[in-house]
Amino acid sequence: MKNILLATIGASPQVLTETLYAIHQSGKPFPDEVFVITTLSAKPLLTNGLFRDGHMQALINEYQMPDFTFDESHIWLIEDELGNPVDDAKSIEDQSYMADFITRTLFKLTRDPKVALHTSLAGGRKTMAFYTGYAMSLLGREQDTLSHVFVDDNYEFVRDFWYPTKAEKWVAGKNGQGEVDISKAQVTLAEIPFVRMRTSIDPSLLSSMENLSFSQTVALLNAGKSQTLTVKLNPTAKTLETLGVEIKLTAKELAFYLWLHQKGEVGLLVDRYFEDTPEHSLSFLTQFSTLSQDPRVFESFGITPEDFKEQNFSNIKGMEKVFLQPVCSQINRKLRKALPVAAADKLAVLSITEISGQRYHLALCSQGQLDDTALLIGKQQ
């Protein structure tokens, strides 16, 4: 059995040497190979401390640790949907990329039955630890373990503490205050029990997870609990929520979705005269104005928020296809990115070609969908 250690690391690369030290001292299986998940901004701290400054090799030499494979190629940077490294994972979108990357990485590492995976969630942002623990619960097998490492309070945030040395060694203390002898530090490896759900997931469903996002995986697993797809639209938060997944929409997208929903199965017919009448512009902006006063959206219809409020519609333009088509595409893209295909298709904006033009309507307003889809709209504030 090959033993692999996977660690999530943020701005404190010492977590890795502490974890290796703790595993070695505990007598637990020592890793044959080590991998790290981190961000672009944190990587230099990791490579400088471990390789350039030699703390990793010093640990290995001092405790005569078994050989293991770990170099810069084993440091995996969290990537966005285009494969670009995420800098610091501070934004909501970056958090989503983090969740997807961690889930897919764990899927790959747990695919080989001859690998025992030890995952440490001691480093990185709190959300990184959450996603790692959650993914382990989904994908972890009997031979896999999850752990957290921690040190005495006096040695936390001590810049020059990487592991307890055998000989007395004094360094600047926490936040540079005083001095501490790092040979006296206690490092504890706490193994975290977790529910292993992998065996209860249908094998065909499990195999499809490799190409799904974190949110899609959550939604797919939740989809089996009910025959009715409940959709919650929150005008205040500007979100669409279903199957335990919250999808952030812009005010324009949510207003359009609500507006199209009001049109029911008949939907919106875009014919040769569509852009000549301001009727659709007026009704859409009435919906939009309850959510936002963004002047850019009003300007796309040749009007200002102030003119609209005062009902001065002399300059208002008809809704143009260059406005309509992108907003439909943006909504559908967000749905398909966050949800399994079957669920996204039930909520998508549909475009059907007719003799007189294109008809747009929500899939959930189709006759066949009405019985198994429930839409709840929150109060607008």
Side-chain angles (χ1 to χ4, degrees):
M1 185 75 72
K2 181 179 183 179
N3 294 296
I4 289 180
L5 172 66
L6 174 68
T8 56
I9 304 290
S12 299
Q14 294 93 331
V15 166
L16 185 57
T17 47
E18 291 166 4
T19 300
L20 287 167
Y21 166 84
I23 292 173
H24 185 258
Q25 296 300 103
S26 70
K28 293 182 181 297
F30 198 76
D32 301 298
E33 199 164 8
V34 175
F35 293 95
V36 167
I37 294 176
T38 191
T39 60
L40 184 62
S41 63
K43 183 180 179 181
L45 298 173
L46 192 70
T47 54
N48 290 345
L50 296 177
F51 303 134
R52 186 194 67 186
D53 300 337
H55 293 296
M56 177 65 81
Q57 193 60 49
L59 169 67
I60 295 169
N61 294 343
E62 187 161 349
Y63 285 92
Q64 297 183 337
M65 291 183 172
D67 290 336
F68 62 94
T69 303
F70 177 64
D71 55 34
E72 196 165 340
S73 69
H74 285 61
I75 299 174
W76 293 334
L77 298 182
I78 295 167
E79 297 176 346
D80 64 17
E81 59 189 346
L82 299 177
N84 301 312
V86 168
D87 184 57
D88 197 27
K90 286 184 176 180
S91 71
I92 293 176
E93 194 170 28
D94 285 349
Q95 294 290 306
S96 175
Y97 296 140
M98 178 196 295
D100 295 347
F101 188 84
I102 289 171
T103 304
R104 287 171 181 160
T105 298
L106 280 168
F107 188 96
K108 292 174 183 176
L109 291 175
T110 57
R111 188 164 45 191
D112 187 347
K114 295 181 180 179
V115 164
L117 180 65
H118 181 155
T119 301
S120 170
L121 45 67
R125 298 185 179 278
K126 291 182 177 65
T127 46
M128 185 182 283
F130 169 80
Y131 291 133
T132 302
Y134 191 94
M136 279 292 286
S137 195
L138 281 176
L139 302 167
R141 304 151 303 168
E142 192 64 33
Q143 70 261 39
D144 301 326
T145 57
L146 183 64
S147 74
H148 177 75
V149 68
F150 55 91
V151 299
D152 304 343
D153 184 61
N154 289 340
Y155 297 90
E156 269 197 301
F157 308 115
V158 173
R159 187 187 64 182
D160 294 321
F161 174 70
W162 290 80
Y163 62 90
T165 53
K166 290 184 175 181
E168 182 179 293
K169 183 177 180 180
W170 293 84
V171 301
K174 184 186 293 189
N175 301 319
Q177 303 295 314
E179 288 190 327
V180 292
D181 177 8
I182 61 175
S183 70
K184 299 293 192 293
Q186 296 293 316
V187 179
T188 303
L189 184 73
E191 190 167 318
I192 303 171
F194 64 97
V195 178
R196 292 166 170 82
M197 298 189 292
R198 189 183 186 113
T199 55
S200 63
I201 300 173
D202 183 87
S204 62
L205 180 61
L206 187 67
S207 64
S208 69
M209 287 182 183
E210 183 175 9
N211 298 313
L212 297 180
S213 68
F214 177 81
S215 61
Q216 286 173 321
T217 299
V218 171
L220 193 61
L221 293 174
N222 286 336
K225 295 182 178 180
S226 175
Q227 295 299 313
T228 301
L229 186 66
T230 301
V231 184
K232 299 177 183 178
L233 294 179
N234 187 328
T236 303
K238 298 179 182 58
T239 57
L240 182 154
E241 182 180 348
T242 187
L243 297 174
V245 175
E246 189 177 84
I247 303 167
K248 187 72 175 177
L249 301 176
T250 65
K252 180 173 69 174
E253 292 162 357
L254 182 56
F256 186 86
Y257 201 88
L258 287 166
W259 180 64
L260 202 55
H261 177 261
Q262 292 166 4
K263 297 183 179 299
E265 188 175 13
V266 174
L268 178 70
L269 178 63
V270 179
D271 57 18
R272 60 184 302 182
Y273 305 108
F274 177 76
E275 297 183 0
D276 297 336
T277 173
E279 173 191 348
H280 302 300
S281 302
L282 284 169
S283 60
F284 169 75
L285 288 175
T286 298
Q287 177 67 64
F288 178 78
S289 64
T290 65
L291 303 177
S292 174
Q293 295 296 308
D294 187 341
R296 294 170 298 180
V297 174
F298 284 91
E299 286 169 6
S300 63
F301 294 93
I303 196 172
T304 66
E306 294 75 21
D307 285 340
F308 188 83
K309 186 175 181 180
E310 295 171 3
Q311 298 189 11
N312 180 7
F313 305 138
S314 57
N315 293 323
I316 196 167
K317 301 188 301 184
M319 182 178 288
E320 299 175 335
K321 294 176 184 177
V322 292
F323 172 86
L324 175 71
Q325 292 167 346
V327 74
C328 293
S329 297
Q330 289 158 8
I331 292 170
N332 287 341
R333 181 182 62 82
K334 288 185 177 181
L335 291 172
R336 289 177 182 133
K337 181 181 178 182
L339 299 172
V341 174
D345 285 347
K346 288 184 177 182
L347 304 180
V349 180
L350 302 181
S351 173
I352 300 172
T353 303
E354 299 182 359
I355 294 175
S356 55
Q358 291 290 121
R359 188 175 299 275
Y360 293 83
H361 72 275
L362 298 186
L364 62 84
C365 292
S366 300
Q367 189 61 46
Q369 301 274 15
L370 293 177
D371 294 335
D372 60 0
T373 308
L375 181 68
L376 304 176
I377 301 175
K379 294 181 179 179
Q380 299 180 20
Q381 299 179 1

